[in-house]
Amino acid sequence: MENRKEEKITLLPRRLFLRLAALALAAVLALGLTACDSNGGHIVKPSTGASQPFEMHFIDVGQALSVLVECDGQFMLYDGGNVDDGSLVVSYLQKQGVEQLQYVFCSHAHEDHVGGLAAVMAKFPAGHAYSPVTESSTKCFNDFVKYTRQQGLQLEVPSVGTVWPLGNATVTMLGPVTQYSETNNTSLVLRIDYGNTSFLLTGDMENTAETDLVNSGANLKADVLQVGHHGSSTSTGYLFLNAVLPEMGVISCGTGNKYGHPHEETLSILRDAKVDVYRTDLQGTITIGSDGQNFTVGTEHFVPDSQLNPTDPSSSSTAQQAYIGNVNSKKFHLPTCANLPAEKNQVPFSSYDEAIAAGYTPCASCIK
Ligand SMILES: [Zn+2]
Ligand SMILES: [Zn+2]
């Protein structure tokens, strides 16, 4: 928490600016631009610094995506990062006080989204688990299915229009509106409304599905947009962005990633649309809070307690650890094993299943 920064976002001037800009454009083009909201804008109140009743956490999982949503003490998770991020996501959820998840969503069957979900399902009881497909050939997807089944759950494919409550927030499934062969376009698109504030999760949806979604007439106007596909230029087209007209955009991507995400074209279109951009590669984990009217934004470079001080017996994750993994060899050991790695290379697991789900294999000498 020591690296956390709080920043108050004042929305009203931007709202007015956007409305005036839209009206001016409408006058010039003689087009009725209706994308601007008509709720009168958000009332800005002084920040108390306390945690908000609604929070969306973009967990820094590098070149991947994992979003934890909390409302009135209920939680849902949208993606879990790569397989290697499993233990980090689990410890982040524990730190947020998660004991169970109402819903777990796999946006689509790529490893950088589904990978960490096996570790999550091995650790936290879930109400429902959703995915655009129930089968995929990859090991990481099959592990997600395996740990979902171990809870006695079946993976469900939700349909457009489904509405779920999360505390006093509502989650609405907007897309995909048709079937796609390109996996990114199968991404589950979720709209989340809390009071007068709104959020849009898009996974890795690309231009084709964005256009279909706009044409479907779905209510896309949202204050906060998870910028699609890690900021790739294959997503966030003008048509789509004009339908969403967000105040804030969050890009989840890894420092120096090999794809060059986020692409300059995407950053440029977001700049032109006056969107405030937050990036996990630059700012770490990004938490957007809402009281239903106003937003707060916090950034934090999250380090699990065990990595801060693995020898501290008061650290809860150390005290509870049943196994110790070696981040280099990807083997895990009993704490009593003679072949434990150096402390800086240790990662704790609270169960055998958690270690397996994170992609670790048991040490042959200490685990029979
Ligand atoms: Zn991705
Ligand atoms: Zn993808």
Side-chain angles (χ1 to χ4, degrees):
M1 293 296 281
E2 61 209 277
N3 294 321
R4 190 169 172 129
K5 288 178 286 187
E6 290 286 345
E7 177 186 342
K8 190 75 186 171
I9 303 301
T10 304
L11 288 170
L12 200 50
R14 168 65 51 73
R15 286 268 171 191
L16 286 171
F17 174 82
L18 285 172
R19 182 165 305 123
L20 289 171
L23 284 172
L25 192 59
V28 170
L29 301 176
L31 285 174
L33 285 190
T34 55
C36 237
D37 85 303
S38 56
N39 67 17
H42 301 114
I43 299 165
V44 179
K45 295 175 183 169
S47 173
T48 62
S51 74
Q52 301 282 358
F54 179 98
E55 286 187 330
M56 181 172 281
H57 307 251
F58 293 85
I59 305 170
D60 179 13
V61 285
Q63 185 60 25
L65 181 68
S66 184
V67 185
L68 174 70
V69 185
E70 172 180 10
C71 189
D72 302 322
Q74 297 194 333
F75 295 91
M76 64 167 254
L77 186 70
Y78 181 86
D79 289 341
N82 281 295
V83 171
D84 287 350
D85 300 317
S87 52
L88 181 141
V89 171
V90 165
S91 26
Y92 189 85
L93 267 55
Q94 285 175 322
K95 199 185 123 200
Q96 297 304 319
V98 176
E99 290 176 354
Q100 56 185 9
L101 292 156
Q102 303 295 119
Y103 319 109
V104 173
F105 291 90
C106 157
S107 72
H108 66 297
H110 279 155
E111 197 218 324
D112 56 323
H113 298 258
V114 70
L117 290 181
V120 168
M121 295 307 283
K123 186 78 191 173
F124 300 99
H128 294 270
Y130 299 104
S131 164
V133 290
T134 54
E135 288 178 6
S136 174
S137 56
T138 57
K139 181 179 185 306
C140 60
F141 190 87
N142 289 329
D143 283 345
F144 172 47
V145 172
K146 177 180 150 191
Y147 287 95
T148 299
R149 287 209 180 122
Q150 279 195 5
Q151 289 199 24
L153 293 176
Q154 291 294 327
L155 207 49
E156 301 168 62
V157 178
S159 47
V160 169
T162 305
V163 178
W164 300 269
L166 185 77
N168 284 313
T170 55
V171 183
T172 309
M173 164 125 163
L174 300 184
V177 295
T178 186
Q179 300 212 321
Y180 298 99
S181 53
E182 161 55 50
T183 301
N184 283 341
N185 281 329
T186 68
S187 294
L188 300 179
V189 180
L190 302 181
R191 172 190 184 84
I192 304 179
D193 288 279
Y194 180 68
N196 286 331
T197 60
S198 49
F199 302 76
L200 200 61
L201 297 174
T202 67
D204 280 353
M205 174 172 64
E206 297 186 351
N207 288 147
T208 306
E210 286 180 351
T211 303
D212 290 344
L213 190 56
V214 171
N215 291 337
S216 78
N219 176 16
L220 296 172
K221 176 70 196 80
D223 303 311
V224 180
L225 171 68
Q226 174 243 312
V227 178
H229 199 189
H230 319 284
S232 166
S233 60
T234 54
S235 303
T236 321
Y238 274 107
L239 185 74
F240 178 70
L241 194 61
N242 193 48
V244 182
L245 220 65
E247 318 274 347
M248 290 177 265
V250 182
I251 300 174
S252 185
C253 64
T255 309
N257 67 80
K258 63 183 176 186
Y259 309 101
H261 293 160
H263 290 149
E264 182 48 40
E265 289 156 273
T266 308
L267 294 176
S268 163
I269 187 179
L270 290 166
R271 261 195 308 273
D272 289 350
K274 305 280 189 289
V275 178
D276 288 332
V277 172
Y278 295 87
R279 292 168 51 170
T280 61
D281 60 334
L282 301 179
Q283 292 155 302
T285 293
I286 293 156
T287 300
I288 300 182
S290 164
D291 62 4
Q293 291 287 346
N294 310 310
F295 291 102
T296 55
V297 178
T299 61
E300 175 193 8
H301 288 281
F302 174 69
V303 180
D305 291 347
S306 56
Q307 286 180 30
L308 283 174
N309 186 356
T311 59
D312 180 1
S314 66
S315 158
S316 60
S317 54
T318 305
Q320 290 169 7
Q321 75 188 41
Y323 297 95
I324 295 170
N326 180 333
V327 293
N328 294 324
S329 69
K330 298 284 179 197
K331 290 221 175 345
F332 65 98
H333 310 264
L334 287 170
T336 50
C337 182
N339 299 319
L340 288 183
E343 281 175 7
K344 67 177 167 60
N345 296 324
Q346 292 185 1
V347 55
F349 294 110
S350 55
S351 73
Y352 183 94
D353 281 352
E354 188 188 334
I356 295 287
Y360 284 71
T361 53
C363 166
S365 57
C366 67
I367 303 169
K368 305 296 179 209

Coordinates of all heavy atoms in Angstrom, one line a residue, residues 45 64 95 128 152 156 338:
K45 N -17.8 15.5 -5.3 CA -17.7 15.7 -3.8 C -16.3 15.6 -3.3 O -15.4 15.0 -4.0 CB -18.5 14.6 -3.1 CG -20.0 14.6 -3.4 CD -20.7 13.4 -2.8 CE -22.2 13.4 -3.2 NZ -22.8 12.2 -2.8
A64 N -1.0 -9.0 -20.3 CA -2.1 -9.9 -20.0 C -3.2 -9.0 -19.4 O -3.1 -7.8 -19.4 CB -1.7 -11.0 -19.0
K95 N -5.5 -10.2 -0.5 CA -5.2 -8.9 0.1 C -6.5 -8.0 0.1 O -6.7 -7.2 1.0 CB -4.1 -8.2 -0.6 CG -3.4 -7.1 0.2 CD -2.4 -6.4 -0.6 CE -2.7 -4.9 -0.6 NZ -2.1 -4.2 -1.7
H128 N -20.6 -18.8 -10.2 CA -20.7 -19.2 -11.6 C -19.4 -18.9 -12.3 O -18.6 -18.0 -11.9 CB -21.8 -18.4 -12.3 CG -23.2 -18.6 -11.8 ND1 -24.0 -19.6 -12.3 CD2 -23.9 -18.0 -10.8 CE1 -25.1 -19.6 -11.7 NE2 -25.1 -18.7 -10.8
G152 N -17.6 -28.5 -8.5 CA -18.9 -28.9 -8.8 C -19.7 -27.9 -9.7 O -20.9 -28.0 -9.8
E156 N -20.2 -22.1 -18.1 CA -21.4 -21.6 -18.8 C -21.1 -20.6 -19.8 O -20.2 -19.8 -19.7 CB -22.4 -21.0 -17.8 CG -22.8 -21.9 -16.6 CD -23.6 -21.2 -15.5 OE1 -24.6 -20.6 -15.8 OE2 -23.0 -21.1 -14.4
A338 N 15.5 -30.0 1.9 CA 16.9 -29.5 1.9 C 17.3 -28.7 0.7 O 18.3 -28.1 0.7 CB 17.8 -30.8 2.1

